[in-house]
Amino acid sequence: MKNVILIGFMGVGKGSVAREVAKNSKYMTIDTDDLIESMENRRIKSIFEDEGEAYFRKLEKNVAKWLECSVKNTLISTGGGFYKQNNLKKIGVVVLLDSPFDAIIKRIKEHPNAAKKLKKRPLLADLKKAKELYNERRPEYLALADIIIDVTDKSAQHCSKELLKKVKKYA
Ligand code: S3P
């Protein structure tokens, strides 16, 4: 089994889909933000506040190197900016979870923990800037993806089934 690496914009549902895939397959799952938080023993929000974004991106680079060298047979969910790592394709099959910006924001706002979900993501603090970031990144996400899954109005369960079916081709 090759690694599967999930990319996509903040709030698109990478974590939920990864957990659903892990429930229904042999994949174990890890998340790059969780790895960083546990190694730093602080939240992403605090890392951004205390050290700045550049420091966080360096940590992502370290994680990317480790994933390439040491991780196998795993479904890896990533932070929305992790796709910039230049060894992404060496880590595994790249799966993009795709959805329009407004649908992503609607999804977050309808979540019972909406306030927490917005608060923990420094780059979503200003929605106008976040939309610009989305517009800048989307063509790059599309260009990198081996597989694209449109997640708009679909449950994590539905997306997970679609992912497992499409990934089979690359096993
Ligand atoms: C970021 C996305 C976040 C987290 C950090 C930066 C980004 O992860 O890595 O706040 O640059 O898009 P999620 O995509 O899980 O929100």
Side-chain angles (χ1 to χ4, degrees):
M1 251 170 24
K2 274 196 178 174
N3 289 326
V4 173
I5 182 150
L6 272 188
I7 64 166
F9 201 67
M10 290 172 272
V12 79
K14 290 163 289 186
S16 314
V17 172
R19 283 186 289 277
E20 197 59 38
V21 172
K23 230 198 280 174
N24 297 296
S25 72
K26 288 186 179 158
Y27 284 104
M28 295 290 281
T29 183
I30 53 176
D31 178 273
T32 59
D33 283 344
D34 291 347
L35 285 168
I36 289 172
E37 287 190 339
S38 72
M39 286 185 67
E40 288 279 308
N41 195 26
R42 53 186 164 163
R43 298 286 179 202
I44 305 284
K45 191 173 183 282
S46 309
I47 301 175
F48 268 69
E49 279 166 7
D50 300 346
E51 320 284 348
E53 184 174 344
Y55 177 82
F56 174 73
R57 300 300 173 198
K58 261 192 234 154
L59 299 176
E60 286 192 314
K61 182 153 287 313
N62 295 342
V63 172
K65 282 188 206 149
W66 173 74
L67 289 171
E68 184 187 339
C69 301
S70 311
V71 175
K72 304 231 170 343
N73 307 323
T74 299
L75 176 78
I76 301 152
S77 66
T78 64
F82 192 86
Y83 77 101
K84 296 226 185 228
Q85 299 307 319
N86 56 19
N87 62 342
L88 201 74
K89 299 284 238 186
K90 290 189 187 151
I91 297 173
V93 181
V94 179
V95 178
L96 169 65
L97 300 190
D98 188 39
S99 190
F101 181 77
D102 291 345
I104 295 175
I105 299 304
K106 185 169 166 263
R107 179 181 178 275
I108 297 177
K109 288 193 169 160
E110 282 172 356
H111 195 279
N113 276 334
K116 200 172 150 206
K117 287 198 165 281
L118 283 169
K119 213 171 137 208
K120 76 171 200 181
R121 295 180 163 104
L123 299 178
L124 278 185
D126 177 336
L127 288 185
K128 193 169 164 270
K129 279 196 190 144
K131 185 162 191 174
E132 282 165 16
L133 188 64
Y134 174 91
N135 288 337
E136 191 184 302
R137 284 181 177 176
R138 187 157 180 272
E140 299 175 354
Y141 286 142
L142 289 169
L144 275 165
D146 298 307
I147 294 170
I148 298 166
I149 298 180
D150 181 355
V151 301
T152 315
D153 297 328
K154 288 185 198 158
S155 66
Q157 200 182 15
H158 183 116
C159 299
S160 136
K161 278 192 192 145
E162 193 175 328
L163 182 149
L164 286 167
K165 204 164 138 197
K166 290 184 169 168
V167 147
K168 261 193 199 150
K169 241 181 41 192
Y170 294 83

